[in-house]
Amino acid sequence: ILNVEQSPQSLHVQEGDSTNFTCSFPSSNFYALHWYRWETAKSPEALFVMTLNGDEKKKGRISATLNTKEGYSYLYIKGSQPEDSATYLCARNTGNQFYFGTGTSLTVIP
Amino acid sequence: SAVISQKPSRDICQRGTSLTIQCQVDSQVTMMFWYRQQPGQSLTLIATANQGSEATYESGFVIDKFPISRPNLTFSTLTVSNLSPEDSSIYLCSVWVDTGELFFGEGSRLTVL
């Protein structure tokens, strides 16, 4: 993998469903992996900064895991709510550069 | 953390004109960046805005097209010159703080007719 890739590109789920999406990245020169939540007309909001292989982080109903050896991170949302609708971005930080994926657009249907 | 004010939030411009975007941070920061997100693309770094010296541009971006000013540690401007429809994007100011986090402004959505 040369670039940061996110899948799926978009996702529609029903309120109350749990969901997850993937961020894949080159495992070389790894420093940190960042997840952001970006709502329309707002600033991208930092969710997690993950640095260690095997890291698991949680904030409310949202959690993330990190595998630096194989180069992927998963973001999980438990019991999705309409206010979770946003684009979720991941970014690989090599120490002085951030490389972003194209994001996963999540729509939670009431 | 850092609070970033960016303006304008959106604008519609005619081909051939220029647009200047302002970014104000509520604290002094060393590292300030300008990003662009074209439709369907990832956030792409345009340049690092250096205080007191010329900005450092990424491959594919040049000073004539994207002049940047950084007069102090809390403020920067990005100008997008000689606009064409391909410049229609969201432009974001961001700062990198000591915790290793990157904070963003709300973005400036530019449409070029």
Side-chain angles (χ1 to χ4, degrees), chain B:
Chain B
S1 67
V3 178
I4 303 171
S5 301
Q6 192 175 331
K7 59 182 181 182
S9 59
R10 58 177 61 237
D11 208 341
I12 300 173
C13 299
Q14 295 295 324
R15 189 190 300 248
T17 63
S18 299
L19 176 71
T20 295
I21 302 166
Q22 298 181 3
C23 178
Q24 179 74 54
V25 189
D26 68 340
S27 58
Q28 293 187 338
V29 291
T30 303
M31 306 297 287
M32 186 181 282
F33 308 95
W34 287 98
Y35 283 86
R36 176 178 78 178
Q37 187 186 44
Q38 293 178 299
Q41 304 295 314
S42 58
L43 275 175
T44 302
L45 181 64
I46 298 171
T48 302
N50 301 310
Q51 192 268 326
S53 64
E54 193 172 285
T56 304
Y57 290 85
E58 296 300 306
S59 175
F61 298 96
V62 295
I63 189 171
D64 289 346
K65 176 68 175 177
F66 298 98
I68 289 171
S69 78
R70 180 92 190 269
N72 55 54
L73 292 177
T74 64
F75 185 79
S76 177
T77 66
L78 168 73
T79 299
V80 189
S81 303
N82 190 23
L83 290 167
S84 68
E86 293 71 39
D87 296 318
S88 298
S89 298
I90 301 174
Y91 293 86
L92 287 140
C93 168
S94 71
V95 300
W96 194 4
V97 300
D98 293 343
T99 57
E101 295 173 276
L102 197 64
F103 289 90
F104 289 90
E106 293 178 347
S108 300
R109 184 180 294 271
L110 170 62
T111 301
V112 183
L113 301 178

Side-chain angles (χ1 to χ4, degrees), chain A residues 51-86:
Chain A
T51 56
L52 298 176
N53 185 45
D55 248 358
E56 291 188 30
K57 298 216 170 177
K58 186 174 181 180
K59 183 185 289 189
R61 294 179 290 98
I62 305 176
S63 60
T65 61
L66 178 67
N67 183 322
T68 60
K69 293 183 178 179
E70 297 183 35
Y72 65 84
S73 176
Y74 294 135
L75 188 80
Y76 300 91
I77 302 178
K78 184 177 179 181
S80 302
Q81 300 296 308
E83 57 266 30
D84 296 328
S85 297

